[in-house]
Amino acid sequence: MDWEDADLWDDSSIRLERSARGWHLLLTTLYPPGVVLWIGHPHESGPGHESHFQTRDQWLDSHPGTPPCPFICPDTFLPGACHRHTAGVAASPYLVVEADEALGRKPATGGERAENLRRNLCILRWLHETLAWPLRAIIHTGGKSCHGWFERPRDTALQDLKALAPALGIDASVFIPAHPVRLPSVVHEKTGVKSRLLYLSPGVFR
């Protein structure tokens, strides 16, 4: 069943506005103040990149407008971490699901990108409504897909999704710990379209 933008906004438990502060809403809704979060570009990890690991409130206080960088990890990190990899992860509260190839291939035209996006949202709706995975956020990336932020499922459910992922066109990178995903309120470098929140619900730390 299709999930239109208007339906998503109605289903969202937090009223959303089209503003540059969508990333503030994401962080304050899904994370408590003291957790350490990585925000940056994918290559910004390791010695010399310590500034990309800050607490939630440090990020928000130092950047009241648009986010400083386009990517975040859904995982939280240990104090003093400077590497975006498994050893530095403190907790993995969320699994972010995207389907860049829901068509069965990379979409090449505007029509194919729109259809891929539609199918991507159908997959997220199926996980949420049929399989009862708690859904916490949906972000339209500004490209050909949407990211669904789910409470991390039990290992059995995760393994089931891994087995289905190739057939559904789900990006295998979503199963890699400390994988970067796009923040809302950032212009996509390929399309020029700003990423935005479509759905938001209080997260596991509530």
Side-chain angles (χ1 to χ4, degrees):
M1 183 186 300
D2 286 355
W3 217 357
E4 303 290 346
D5 279 13
D7 297 327
L8 286 165
W9 281 54
D10 287 342
D11 291 343
S12 177
S13 63
I14 295 175
R15 184 54 53 192
L16 301 174
E17 298 179 0
R18 298 176 186 271
S19 75
R21 293 173 62 86
W23 76 289
H24 274 230
L25 272 177
L26 182 79
L27 266 61
T28 55
T29 302
L30 299 190
Y31 297 100
V35 298
V36 176
L37 301 172
W38 173 90
I39 294 177
H41 292 86
H43 68 276
E44 291 171 324
S45 171
H49 297 292
E50 289 85 358
S51 64
H52 291 279
F53 295 81
Q54 299 184 37
T55 66
R56 186 203 76 176
D57 280 4
Q58 285 174 327
W59 282 118
L60 299 180
D61 291 345
S62 60
H63 296 85
T66 56
C69 297
F71 292 91
I72 187 173
C73 281
D75 305 302
T76 65
F77 289 86
L78 297 169
C82 71
H83 285 279
R84 183 177 53 75
H85 57 44
T86 306
V89 170
S92 297
Y94 304 109
L95 178 73
V96 179
V97 177
E98 65 171 321
D100 277 349
E101 298 186 16
L103 283 175
R105 63 185 185 282
K106 290 186 181 297
T109 66
E112 287 184 351
R113 285 190 288 273
E115 176 61 15
N116 195 84
L117 184 63
R118 186 190 71 80
R119 295 188 188 190
N120 194 155
L121 284 169
C122 288
I123 291 169
L124 301 184
R125 191 171 198 175
W126 171 69
L127 290 171
H128 177 48
E129 296 184 355
T130 303
L131 300 189
W133 284 25
L135 177 63
R136 297 304 168 211
I138 295 177
I139 298 168
H140 178 223
T141 64
K144 57 184 175 295
S145 65
C146 278
H147 290 178
W149 287 58
F150 293 91
E151 289 190 15
R152 193 169 188 85
R154 296 185 302 274
D155 284 345
T156 52
L158 191 58
Q159 293 305 317
D160 288 344
L161 184 63
K162 283 183 178 180
L164 290 171
L168 296 175
I170 292 174
D171 189 344
S173 64
V174 306
F175 303 110
I176 301 172
H179 180 68
V181 296
R182 290 184 184 272
L183 278 166
S185 314
V186 178
V187 174
H188 195 291
E189 67 279 1
K190 293 182 180 179
T191 66
V193 178
K194 184 177 287 187
S195 56
R196 59 191 176 95
L197 274 172
L198 301 179
Y199 175 101
L200 188 61
S201 178
V204 297
F205 295 105
R206 62 190 181 279

